[in-house]
Amino acid sequence: MTIELINSLSDSALPGVSWQIEQVRTGKSSELWVATPHEDASYLARQLGLAPYQVFDIYAQRYLTAIDETKGIWWTDLPVPNNARFVINADWTKSIMSFGCEIAKVRWYSDAKRIVQAVAWQDSRGQIDYKDIYQRDGKRFATQYFSDGQLLVTEFFFGDEAIVVRDFYFNKRRDFVYANGQQFESAEQYIAAVINRQTNQTINITQFGRELTFVPKHTILTLIDNLTDSASNLQPRLRQILTDHQSPIGEIRMTDANFDYLKRAGLPTNHVKLVRI
């Protein structure tokens, strides 16, 4: 069967991504593969009507698992330095204070009051030093390290004791990824390597975003949205796909109306398949 591939579970409101999720939920596609890791992925998947085993986290190289939310970290149970105290500020932000100085900012899961999602620890200048990010079950999802307020490294644990993946940053951009004892020049290169190693099933996408940078050859592009952008011009990436013989997209699926638009625009349609959506 077909694997539906999306960039992020946070994109679930997009019409195309919503359609992909529904394909998996109703059994028309086998699985949902997600490129961007998220500490709350299991909860988000459940809210979308998906079982954990139906969602594969590409970055973590594993399927989601059920989370025991009763084991989340109650915010006053956080290990803190001596003399530190927990404060809820007037604007409902949360802080850890020590000797009158804020040493950390705390974020709760919005619908699980006082369960810790992230703690941003500050240096003596009040700038972020490092951030611990937690899953709803209290296990560490990732730790991020900063210098002069700029992100340097993200270490992903995905609930494990050991580091699974490291992202390194330079000049505010992700520089390279280290995983499986290998260095990858970009996150997209790493994601592509995982996909190629993990499956040979047909993959379908619906977006013109970063998915196009890591999908394998013969990927299907199903167009749920209109073919034009906000200025009523044909999506530039679609024009490129239609005319690029090296594109990883092997088939473009669309409705009759979209197909007629392409013909009127004089664009090649040899890789287009008409479908009812």
Side-chain angles (χ1 to χ4, degrees), residues 98-109:
S98 180
F99 297 105
C101 296
E102 184 182 55
I103 61 172
K105 297 180 184 294
V106 181
R107 185 171 74 244
W108 298 342
Y109 278 101

Side-chain angles (χ1 to χ4, degrees), residues 22-92:
E22 184 66 9
Q23 295 299 106
V24 176
R25 195 185 67 79
T26 57
K28 296 175 183 176
S29 294
S30 57
E31 297 173 349
L32 182 71
W33 284 34
V34 184
T36 302
H38 195 293
E39 66 268 27
D40 210 17
S42 293
Y43 175 83
L44 294 175
R46 188 173 78 243
Q47 294 298 105
L48 295 169
L50 299 174
Y53 63 82
Q54 293 178 295
V55 183
F56 184 75
D57 183 331
I58 302 172
Y59 227 72
Q61 305 176 56
R62 67 187 71 175
Y63 290 91
L64 300 185
T65 56
I67 293 292
D68 185 352
E69 298 177 22
T70 65
K71 295 184 178 179
I73 300 175
W74 187 261
W75 82 303
T76 54
D77 289 338
L78 278 168
V80 297
N82 290 336
N83 302 306
R85 60 191 182 91
F86 300 91
V87 175
I88 299 178
N89 302 303
D91 60 357
W92 286 98

Side-chain angles (χ1 to χ4, degrees), residues 223 227 252-256 258-259 262 272-275:
L223 297 177
L227 304 187
I252 304 173
R253 296 179 178 178
M254 63 179 64
T255 62
D256 288 343
N258 282 337
F259 181 70
L262 288 185
V272 174
K273 180 179 180 180
L274 298 181
V275 293

Side-chain angles (χ1 to χ4, degrees), residues 149-217:
Q150 301 299 320
L151 179 60
L152 293 180
V153 181
T154 299
E155 296 178 339
F156 289 100
F157 293 83
F158 303 116
D160 291 351
E161 293 293 328
I163 298 167
V164 179
V165 180
R166 284 189 178 96
D167 285 355
F168 293 84
Y169 291 78
F170 181 71
N171 285 341
K172 301 181 182 181
R173 298 184 62 181
R174 185 159 37 196
D175 193 25
F176 64 91
V177 175
Y178 190 80
N180 302 325
Q182 292 181 265
Q183 180 173 314
F184 299 87
E185 293 181 1
S186 66
E188 288 71 28
Q189 186 185 85
Y190 165 62
I191 292 168
V194 174
I195 293 172
N196 289 328
R197 185 173 64 250
Q198 292 285 347
T199 187
N200 57 7
Q201 290 191 57
T202 301
I203 288 177
N204 180 66
I205 63 174
T206 62
Q207 305 301 301
F208 294 108
R210 69 190 288 250
E211 297 91 333
L212 291 170
T213 65
F214 52 69
V215 292
K217 288 286 188 181

